[in-house]
Amino acid sequence: MKTKMTKKVFAVLIAMALVFGMALTAFAVTGAPTTGSLTVTGDKEFVGKTVSAYQVFTANWEDTNETGTDDNNIDLSDNISYVLNTNWEGFFTDAMLTGITGVSKSDKAAQYVAGLNDAQMLQLAKDMKAYADTNNIAATYTSGLATETATGGSVTITGMTPGYYLVIPEGGSTSTTRGTDATLVNVPSAASASWAIKSDYPTVEKTVGTNETETTAKIGDVLDFKLESHVPDMTEYTTYTFKFHDTFSTGLTYTGDTDLAVTIAGKTLVQGTDYTVAYDTSTRELTVDLTDLKALVDNDANINEGSLIVVTYKAMLNENAVIAGTGNKNTATVEYSNDPATGGTGTSTPTETKTYTYQLTIDKNDGSGTKLAGAEFKLKSSAGADGTVIRLISTGTENEYRVANADEIAVTPEASNRTVSTVTTTATGLIIIKGLEAGTTYYLEEVTAPVGYNKLANDITIFIDPTVTGGSYTAPIYSVGGVAQGTSSTANVVNTKGTMLPTTGGIGTIGLTALGVGVVIFGFVFTSKKKKKAE
């Protein structure tokens, strides 16, 4: 951006050059640098952008200083003249320079620039940029044009011949405060040694759920996604490309175009007319193309530069979801026009969301390490005998299941429905259930106990407590039966053995009666035999 002081300094320098006239070109340039450098800084979107510096005037100058010490910068104490680069003679037309006196077009062009106010200087930079784009002026330069690509938040162009430069960052980034990307600077000069060009490159912010970048869900849940951007300044363009690209991980399934909507400044756009939607099943990329954003904005008085653009759609967490770990990602960018002359496009910095889902491991044992087979369980989302059962489906691995989605549950006829309401332990005693949402309480009901063991009387509560710091998820804390057990996902479920029920009265009344009768009979027989023997 050109400051008021810089413009005034330039005006004075131009005036000095005109006073001294052609004699200045003969001045010795001892002490003046033969080359200079320019550092251009921007924001995070500046990374990867190319900056071009077009020399407009060559500076012939003697580097002097009011203190007598050379400072290698063009300032008011220096002797200077400017010579117009031949590549710009077509821009400074006779009509533009009407009324300005001078011995050459260079003199007239320099006087013209020196006489502009701040607003006119901004417009001049904008017009010069348009001229450079339209006439492909870069191709006409044999010297005096330098380009560099930003690898970070800044880029330094070196080896620049001292002079006056039009500096243009890669297009599609019109500054909303200045009205143009282009900047006019002196090189070398104290003001241009490091120049911050605040350009507004199109960006996109992606959220899931309630405006979050990370969330949690169970398999089968349908999630709300949102992309937000803003209408850029498109005054330098006749048409403008603006496309959202959103790439899904394998754990997320796009639900379809009927769930997608686009608004600008609160106005709902018409799919197929104002924008088109395409989903590539092989790359899993969703593309929302605002057919011609410039025409759309120009035809609606309520839509302006800076107006909010919102895309909303839905996606389901599917059977391929990553369990815990890095989560299930969506990555979005905006593709936008960056060259009015060629129709070229640039791409914004990617933004992403993550959706996490977790698992539960049931460890059925007798409390002493022996694993128990034959225990049948239900996992429910609500408590009690009538609690809502979560339908499960085998992953194909023994004793491993995941939450079924609505489409799988709805399969008919019932014989072909692979989902189950209960799961039963084998000799390993283990059952793994994948695809559970954190922040939800689950209820584990034992339907049938192993043979010889007592069935649990009550549901076991399972709570997966999400650990979120600054909006980012880390390993959750599991609570089993109300007791927090750290990050372990295993619920230790113990059954106790049954015991033989006791009887009452020893051998029983009938047994005693039979014994009594036997004693009486024995006594009678014994007595009778003894009596006969005595006789």
Side-chain angles (χ1 to χ4, degrees), residues 367-408:
S368 64
T370 300
K371 305 298 184 181
L372 301 179
E376 185 180 12
F377 291 99
K378 286 181 180 179
L379 186 65
K380 303 178 296 185
S381 58
S382 55
D386 297 326
T388 302
V389 176
I390 297 173
R391 303 279 290 181
L392 305 174
I393 191 167
S394 173
T395 64
T397 300
E398 185 180 3
N399 304 323
E400 186 176 278
Y401 299 83
R402 62 168 173 80
V403 177
N405 62 50
D407 291 339
E408 292 168 329

mmCIF file of all heavy atoms in Angstrom, residues 367-408:
data_model
loop_
_atom_site.group_PDB
_atom_site.id
_atom_site.type_symbol
_atom_site.label_atom_id
_atom_site.label_comp_id
_atom_site.label_asym_id
_atom_site.label_seq_id
_atom_site.Cartn_x
_atom_site.Cartn_y
_atom_site.Cartn_z
ATOM 1 N N GLY A 367 -14.254 -63.645 37.227
ATOM 2 C CA GLY A 367 -13.583 -62.885 38.268
ATOM 3 C C GLY A 367 -12.220 -63.427 38.624
ATOM 4 O O GLY A 367 -11.450 -62.756 39.322
ATOM 5 N N SER A 368 -11.905 -64.634 38.169
ATOM 6 C CA SER A 368 -10.605 -65.226 38.490
ATOM 7 C C SER A 368 -9.757 -65.444 37.239
ATOM 8 O O SER A 368 -8.728 -66.111 37.291
ATOM 9 C CB SER A 368 -10.800 -66.571 39.204
ATOM 10 O OG SER A 368 -11.447 -67.498 38.341
ATOM 11 N N GLY A 369 -10.215 -64.872 36.096
ATOM 12 C CA GLY A 369 -9.453 -64.985 34.863
ATOM 13 C C GLY A 369 -10.026 -65.942 33.856
ATOM 14 O O GLY A 369 -9.585 -65.966 32.700
ATOM 15 N N THR A 370 -10.992 -66.757 34.255
ATOM 16 C CA THR A 370 -11.604 -67.708 33.319
ATOM 17 C C THR A 370 -12.614 -66.981 32.435
ATOM 18 O O THR A 370 -13.549 -66.331 32.934
ATOM 19 C CB THR A 370 -12.311 -68.839 34.079
ATOM 20 O OG1 THR A 370 -11.350 -69.527 34.883
ATOM 21 C CG2 THR A 370 -12.944 -69.821 33.105
ATOM 22 N N LYS A 371 -12.435 -67.084 31.115
ATOM 23 C CA LYS A 371 -13.348 -66.443 30.178
ATOM 24 C C LYS A 371 -14.603 -67.293 30.044
ATOM 25 O O LYS A 371 -14.542 -68.530 30.090
ATOM 26 C CB LYS A 371 -12.685 -66.276 28.808
ATOM 27 C CG LYS A 371 -11.362 -65.523 28.854
ATOM 28 C CD LYS A 371 -11.515 -64.102 29.375
ATOM 29 C CE LYS A 371 -10.177 -63.358 29.317
ATOM 30 N NZ LYS A 371 -10.280 -61.976 29.827
ATOM 31 N N LEU A 372 -15.719 -66.634 29.861
ATOM 32 C CA LEU A 372 -17.004 -67.333 29.847
ATOM 33 C C LEU A 372 -17.690 -67.213 28.488
ATOM 34 O O LEU A 372 -17.871 -66.110 27.957
ATOM 35 C CB LEU A 372 -17.927 -66.772 30.933
ATOM 36 C CG LEU A 372 -17.403 -66.866 32.372
ATOM 37 C CD1 LEU A 372 -18.406 -66.239 33.342
ATOM 38 C CD2 LEU A 372 -17.121 -68.314 32.752
ATOM 39 N N ALA A 373 -18.076 -68.343 27.932
ATOM 40 C CA ALA A 373 -18.846 -68.390 26.691
ATOM 41 C C ALA A 373 -20.328 -68.479 27.025
ATOM 42 O O ALA A 373 -20.716 -68.852 28.146
ATOM 43 C CB ALA A 373 -18.425 -69.593 25.861
ATOM 44 N N GLY A 374 -21.157 -68.113 26.064
ATOM 45 C CA GLY A 374 -22.594 -68.282 26.226
ATOM 46 C C GLY A 374 -23.312 -67.128 26.898
ATOM 47 O O GLY A 374 -24.516 -67.221 27.160
ATOM 48 N N ALA A 375 -22.623 -66.040 27.162
ATOM 49 C CA ALA A 375 -23.283 -64.865 27.741
ATOM 50 C C ALA A 375 -23.878 -64.033 26.606
ATOM 51 O O ALA A 375 -23.168 -63.634 25.680
ATOM 52 C CB ALA A 375 -22.302 -64.036 28.551
ATOM 53 N N GLU A 376 -25.160 -63.749 26.673
ATOM 54 C CA GLU A 376 -25.865 -63.009 25.625
ATOM 55 C C GLU A 376 -26.164 -61.597 26.120
ATOM 56 O O GLU A 376 -26.679 -61.410 27.221
ATOM 57 C CB GLU A 376 -27.159 -63.728 25.261
ATOM 58 C CG GLU A 376 -27.904 -63.096 24.083
ATOM 59 C CD GLU A 376 -29.184 -63.840 23.742
ATOM 60 O OE1 GLU A 376 -29.604 -64.703 24.549
ATOM 61 O OE2 GLU A 376 -29.765 -63.549 22.693
ATOM 62 N N PHE A 377 -25.838 -60.590 25.278
ATOM 63 C CA PHE A 377 -25.975 -59.193 25.684
ATOM 64 C C PHE A 377 -26.791 -58.394 24.672
ATOM 65 O O PHE A 377 -26.814 -58.691 23.477
ATOM 66 C CB PHE A 377 -24.597 -58.537 25.808
ATOM 67 C CG PHE A 377 -23.767 -59.034 26.951
ATOM 68 C CD1 PHE A 377 -22.779 -59.982 26.733
ATOM 69 C CD2 PHE A 377 -23.972 -58.557 28.234
ATOM 70 C CE1 PHE A 377 -22.001 -60.445 27.785
ATOM 71 C CE2 PHE A 377 -23.197 -59.009 29.290
ATOM 72 C CZ PHE A 377 -22.214 -59.958 29.066
ATOM 73 N N LYS A 378 -27.396 -57.314 25.184
ATOM 74 C CA LYS A 378 -27.991 -56.256 24.373
ATOM 75 C C LYS A 378 -27.272 -54.959 24.724
ATOM 76 O O LYS A 378 -26.982 -54.702 25.894
ATOM 77 C CB LYS A 378 -29.476 -56.069 24.692
ATOM 78 C CG LYS A 378 -30.419 -57.127 24.187
ATOM 79 C CD LYS A 378 -31.851 -56.761 24.587
ATOM 80 C CE LYS A 378 -32.855 -57.799 24.104
ATOM 81 N NZ LYS A 378 -34.232 -57.433 24.533
ATOM 82 N N LEU A 379 -26.998 -54.137 23.708
ATOM 83 C CA LEU A 379 -26.495 -52.790 23.957
ATOM 84 C C LEU A 379 -27.628 -51.829 23.653
ATOM 85 O O LEU A 379 -28.219 -51.874 22.569
ATOM 86 C CB LEU A 379 -25.283 -52.471 23.077
ATOM 87 C CG LEU A 379 -24.605 -51.127 23.367
ATOM 88 C CD1 LEU A 379 -23.998 -51.116 24.762
ATOM 89 C CD2 LEU A 379 -23.532 -50.823 22.317
ATOM 90 N N LYS A 380 -27.948 -50.957 24.610
ATOM 91 C CA LYS A 380 -29.114 -50.080 24.466
ATOM 92 C C LYS A 380 -28.710 -48.615 24.616
ATOM 93 O O LYS A 380 -27.715 -48.288 25.260
ATOM 94 C CB LYS A 380 -30.160 -50.446 25.518
ATOM 95 C CG LYS A 380 -30.612 -51.905 25.461
ATOM 96 C CD LYS A 380 -31.623 -52.231 26.548
ATOM 97 C CE LYS A 380 -31.033 -52.097 27.945
ATOM 98 N NZ LYS A 380 -31.970 -52.529 29.003
ATOM 99 N N SER A 381 -29.535 -47.760 24.030
ATOM 100 C CA SER A 381 -29.307 -46.321 24.152
ATOM 101 C C SER A 381 -30.145 -45.712 25.267
ATOM 102 O O SER A 381 -30.020 -44.530 25.562
ATOM 103 C CB SER A 381 -29.612 -45.615 22.828
ATOM 104 O OG SER A 381 -30.956 -45.849 22.430
ATOM 105 N N SER A 382 -30.989 -46.517 25.877
ATOM 106 C CA SER A 382 -31.777 -46.064 27.023
ATOM 107 C C SER A 382 -31.922 -47.225 27.998
ATOM 108 O O SER A 382 -31.808 -48.394 27.624
ATOM 109 C CB SER A 382 -33.156 -45.536 26.600
ATOM 110 O OG SER A 382 -33.855 -46.509 25.848
ATOM 111 N N ALA A 383 -32.181 -46.912 29.256
ATOM 112 C CA ALA A 383 -32.161 -47.920 30.311
ATOM 113 C C ALA A 383 -33.483 -48.674 30.416
ATOM 114 O O ALA A 383 -34.499 -48.284 29.840
ATOM 115 C CB ALA A 383 -31.839 -47.249 31.649
ATOM 116 N N GLY A 384 -33.434 -49.791 31.162
ATOM 117 C CA GLY A 384 -34.637 -50.540 31.484
ATOM 118 C C GLY A 384 -34.926 -51.648 30.507
ATOM 119 O O GLY A 384 -34.318 -51.761 29.432
ATOM 120 N N ALA A 385 -35.904 -52.474 30.901
ATOM 121 C CA ALA A 385 -36.272 -53.629 30.081
ATOM 122 C C ALA A 385 -36.774 -53.215 28.703
ATOM 123 O O ALA A 385 -36.633 -53.952 27.720
ATOM 124 C CB ALA A 385 -37.333 -54.461 30.800
ATOM 125 N N ASP A 386 -37.359 -52.022 28.619
ATOM 126 C CA ASP A 386 -37.893 -51.536 27.342
ATOM 127 C C ASP A 386 -36.947 -50.549 26.667
ATOM 128 O O ASP A 386 -37.355 -49.808 25.762
ATOM 129 C CB ASP A 386 -39.257 -50.867 27.573
ATOM 130 C CG ASP A 386 -40.293 -51.844 28.106
ATOM 131 O OD1 ASP A 386 -40.225 -53.023 27.713
ATOM 132 O OD2 ASP A 386 -41.138 -51.428 28.920
ATOM 133 N N GLY A 387 -35.689 -50.505 27.094
ATOM 134 C CA GLY A 387 -34.723 -49.574 26.509
ATOM 135 C C GLY A 387 -34.513 -49.838 25.028
ATOM 136 O O GLY A 387 -34.633 -50.968 24.544
ATOM 137 N N THR A 388 -34.185 -48.780 24.289
ATOM 138 C CA THR A 388 -33.994 -48.883 22.841
ATOM 139 C C THR A 388 -32.721 -49.658 22.522
ATOM 140 O O THR A 388 -31.622 -49.271 22.931
ATOM 141 C CB THR A 388 -33.911 -47.491 22.202
ATOM 142 O OG1 THR A 388 -35.103 -46.763 22.510
ATOM 143 C CG2 THR A 388 -33.756 -47.596 20.687
ATOM 144 N N VAL A 389 -32.891 -50.764 21.804
ATOM 145 C CA VAL A 389 -31.762 -51.627 21.461
ATOM 146 C C VAL A 389 -31.029 -51.071 20.244
ATOM 147 O O VAL A 389 -31.647 -50.633 19.269
ATOM 148 C CB VAL A 389 -32.245 -53.067 21.187
ATOM 149 C CG1 VAL A 389 -31.069 -53.945 20.739
ATOM 150 C CG2 VAL A 389 -32.907 -53.645 22.423
ATOM 151 N N ILE A 390 -29.706 -51.089 20.295
ATOM 152 C CA ILE A 390 -28.881 -50.662 19.170
ATOM 153 C C ILE A 390 -28.596 -51.884 18.304
ATOM 154 O O ILE A 390 -28.009 -52.861 18.776
ATOM 155 C CB ILE A 390 -27.562 -50.035 19.656
ATOM 156 C CG1 ILE A 390 -27.869 -48.778 20.477
ATOM 157 C CG2 ILE A 390 -26.654 -49.707 18.481
ATOM 158 C CD1 ILE A 390 -26.657 -48.179 21.142
ATOM 159 N N ARG A 391 -29.049 -51.832 17.058
ATOM 160 C CA ARG A 391 -28.839 -52.957 16.153
ATOM 161 C C ARG A 391 -27.371 -53.007 15.721
ATOM 162 O O ARG A 391 -26.751 -51.976 15.421
ATOM 163 C CB ARG A 391 -29.730 -52.828 14.928
ATOM 164 C CG ARG A 391 -31.216 -52.733 15.238
ATOM 165 C CD ARG A 391 -31.841 -54.083 15.494
ATOM 166 N NE ARG A 391 -31.913 -54.888 14.274
ATOM 167 C CZ ARG A 391 -32.450 -56.102 14.248
ATOM 168 N NH1 ARG A 391 -32.933 -56.645 15.356
ATOM 169 N NH2 ARG A 391 -32.501 -56.775 13.109
ATOM 170 N N LEU A 392 -26.825 -54.211 15.679
ATOM 171 C CA LEU A 392 -25.421 -54.422 15.350
ATOM 172 C C LEU A 392 -25.299 -55.332 14.142
ATOM 173 O O LEU A 392 -26.251 -56.011 13.760
ATOM 174 C CB LEU A 392 -24.687 -55.036 16.540
ATOM 175 C CG LEU A 392 -24.780 -54.276 17.864
ATOM 176 C CD1 LEU A 392 -24.128 -55.070 18.989
ATOM 177 C CD2 LEU A 392 -24.139 -52.896 17.745
ATOM 178 N N ILE A 393 -24.110 -55.325 13.556
ATOM 179 C CA ILE A 393 -23.844 -56.177 12.407
ATOM 180 C C ILE A 393 -22.405 -56.657 12.487
ATOM 181 O O ILE A 393 -21.509 -55.910 12.912
ATOM 182 C CB ILE A 393 -24.107 -55.415 11.084
ATOM 183 C CG1 ILE A 393 -24.104 -56.360 9.898
ATOM 184 C CG2 ILE A 393 -23.109 -54.288 10.885
ATOM 185 C CD1 ILE A 393 -24.657 -55.713 8.628
ATOM 186 N N SER A 394 -22.165 -57.905 12.134
ATOM 187 C CA SER A 394 -20.821 -58.466 12.219
ATOM 188 C C SER A 394 -19.898 -57.793 11.211
ATOM 189 O O SER A 394 -20.283 -57.491 10.080
ATOM 190 C CB SER A 394 -20.862 -59.969 11.953
ATOM 191 O OG SER A 394 -19.551 -60.500 11.877
ATOM 192 N N THR A 395 -18.657 -57.569 11.640
ATOM 193 C CA THR A 395 -17.661 -56.996 10.726
ATOM 194 C C THR A 395 -17.008 -58.061 9.873
ATOM 195 O O THR A 395 -16.231 -57.753 8.964
ATOM 196 C CB THR A 395 -16.563 -56.270 11.516
ATOM 197 O OG1 THR A 395 -15.852 -57.228 12.310
ATOM 198 C CG2 THR A 395 -17.147 -55.183 12.399
ATOM 199 N N GLY A 396 -17.303 -59.331 10.174
ATOM 200 C CA GLY A 396 -16.646 -60.427 9.481
ATOM 201 C C GLY A 396 -15.523 -61.034 10.285
ATOM 202 O O GLY A 396 -15.026 -62.113 9.972
ATOM 203 N N THR A 397 -15.113 -60.352 11.342
ATOM 204 C CA THR A 397 -14.114 -60.870 12.274
ATOM 205 C C THR A 397 -14.835 -61.471 13.462
ATOM 206 O O THR A 397 -15.795 -60.877 13.976
ATOM 207 C CB THR A 397 -13.167 -59.752 12.735
ATOM 208 O OG1 THR A 397 -12.503 -59.195 11.599
ATOM 209 C CG2 THR A 397 -12.130 -60.274 13.717
ATOM 210 N N GLU A 398 -14.374 -62.631 13.917
ATOM 211 C CA GLU A 398 -15.049 -63.320 15.016
ATOM 212 C C GLU A 398 -15.169 -62.417 16.242
ATOM 213 O O GLU A 398 -14.215 -61.752 16.644
ATOM 214 C CB GLU A 398 -14.286 -64.595 15.403
ATOM 215 C CG GLU A 398 -14.993 -65.428 16.471
ATOM 216 C CD GLU A 398 -14.226 -66.685 16.829
ATOM 217 O OE1 GLU A 398 -13.113 -66.876 16.293
ATOM 218 O OE2 GLU A 398 -14.733 -67.473 17.635
ATOM 219 N N ASN A 399 -16.380 -62.394 16.808
ATOM 220 C CA ASN A 399 -16.682 -61.647 18.033
ATOM 221 C C ASN A 399 -16.586 -60.130 17.861
ATOM 222 O O ASN A 399 -16.557 -59.407 18.847
ATOM 223 C CB ASN A 399 -15.751 -62.065 19.186
ATOM 224 C CG ASN A 399 -15.791 -63.552 19.454
ATOM 225 O OD1 ASN A 399 -16.848 -64.167 19.359
ATOM 226 N ND2 ASN A 399 -14.637 -64.132 19.760
ATOM 227 N N GLU A 400 -16.554 -59.650 16.620
ATOM 228 C CA GLU A 400 -16.453 -58.211 16.386
ATOM 229 C C GLU A 400 -17.684 -57.717 15.636
ATOM 230 O O GLU A 400 -18.064 -58.280 14.612
ATOM 231 C CB GLU A 400 -15.190 -57.883 15.590
ATOM 232 C CG GLU A 400 -14.941 -56.394 15.423
ATOM 233 C CD GLU A 400 -13.639 -56.101 14.709
ATOM 234 O OE1 GLU A 400 -12.592 -56.111 15.386
ATOM 235 O OE2 GLU A 400 -13.662 -55.890 13.482
ATOM 236 N N TYR A 401 -18.294 -56.650 16.141
ATOM 237 C CA TYR A 401 -19.513 -56.085 15.564
ATOM 238 C C TYR A 401 -19.353 -54.568 15.451
ATOM 239 O O TYR A 401 -18.477 -53.963 16.064
ATOM 240 C CB TYR A 401 -20.725 -56.408 16.440
ATOM 241 C CG TYR A 401 -20.990 -57.878 16.600
ATOM 242 C CD1 TYR A 401 -20.303 -58.630 17.555
ATOM 243 C CD2 TYR A 401 -21.919 -58.535 15.800
ATOM 244 C CE1 TYR A 401 -20.531 -59.991 17.708
ATOM 245 C CE2 TYR A 401 -22.161 -59.891 15.946
ATOM 246 C CZ TYR A 401 -21.464 -60.611 16.891
ATOM 247 O OH TYR A 401 -21.691 -61.963 17.038
ATOM 248 N N ARG A 402 -20.208 -53.982 14.659
ATOM 249 C CA ARG A 402 -20.295 -52.516 14.578
ATOM 250 C C ARG A 402 -21.747 -52.113 14.584
ATOM 251 O O ARG A 402 -22.653 -52.938 14.343
ATOM 252 C CB ARG A 402 -19.617 -52.000 13.314
ATOM 253 C CG ARG A 402 -20.257 -52.488 12.036
ATOM 254 C CD ARG A 402 -19.755 -51.743 10.801
ATOM 255 N NE ARG A 402 -20.247 -52.325 9.567
ATOM 256 C CZ ARG A 402 -21.454 -52.110 9.065
ATOM 257 N NH1 ARG A 402 -22.327 -51.334 9.718
ATOM 258 N NH2 ARG A 402 -21.819 -52.673 7.921
ATOM 259 N N VAL A 403 -21.980 -50.833 14.847
ATOM 260 C CA VAL A 403 -23.335 -50.299 14.813
ATOM 261 C C VAL A 403 -23.833 -50.319 13.373
ATOM 262 O O VAL A 403 -23.122 -49.922 12.444
ATOM 263 C CB VAL A 403 -23.368 -48.869 15.377
ATOM 264 C CG1 VAL A 403 -24.774 -48.279 15.267
ATOM 265 C CG2 VAL A 403 -22.897 -48.867 16.831
ATOM 266 N N ALA A 404 -25.050 -50.805 13.165
ATOM 267 C CA ALA A 404 -25.639 -50.854 11.828
ATOM 268 C C ALA A 404 -26.248 -49.505 11.468
ATOM 269 O O ALA A 404 -26.727 -48.774 12.346
ATOM 270 C CB ALA A 404 -26.699 -51.942 11.764
ATOM 271 N N ASN A 405 -26.233 -49.162 10.176
ATOM 272 C CA ASN A 405 -26.887 -47.918 9.761
ATOM 273 C C ASN A 405 -28.336 -48.198 9.366
ATOM 274 O O ASN A 405 -28.767 -49.348 9.281
ATOM 275 C CB ASN A 405 -26.116 -47.239 8.627
ATOM 276 C CG ASN A 405 -26.033 -48.080 7.377
ATOM 277 O OD1 ASN A 405 -27.054 -48.587 6.897
ATOM 278 N ND2 ASN A 405 -24.825 -48.227 6.821
ATOM 279 N N ALA A 406 -29.076 -47.141 9.134
ATOM 280 C CA ALA A 406 -30.514 -47.264 8.879
ATOM 281 C C ALA A 406 -30.815 -48.108 7.652
ATOM 282 O O ALA A 406 -31.779 -48.889 7.638
ATOM 283 C CB ALA A 406 -31.134 -45.877 8.737
ATOM 284 N N ASP A 407 -30.002 -47.978 6.605
ATOM 285 C CA ASP A 407 -30.229 -48.746 5.381
ATOM 286 C C ASP A 407 -30.066 -50.244 5.627
ATOM 287 O O ASP A 407 -30.811 -51.060 5.080
ATOM 288 C CB ASP A 407 -29.273 -48.292 4.279
ATOM 289 C CG ASP A 407 -29.575 -46.887 3.784
ATOM 290 O OD1 ASP A 407 -30.727 -46.438 3.984
ATOM 291 O OD2 ASP A 407 -28.678 -46.243 3.220
ATOM 292 N N GLU A 408 -29.095 -50.589 6.442
ATOM 293 C CA GLU A 408 -28.863 -52.004 6.742
ATOM 294 C C GLU A 408 -29.990 -52.577 7.596
ATOM 295 O O GLU A 408 -30.409 -53.721 7.404
ATOM 296 C CB GLU A 408 -27.523 -52.173 7.451
ATOM 297 C CG GLU A 408 -26.335 -51.864 6.552
ATOM 298 C CD GLU A 408 -25.038 -51.758 7.318
ATOM 299 O OE1 GLU A 408 -25.068 -51.339 8.493
ATOM 300 O OE2 GLU A 408 -23.984 -52.084 6.745
#
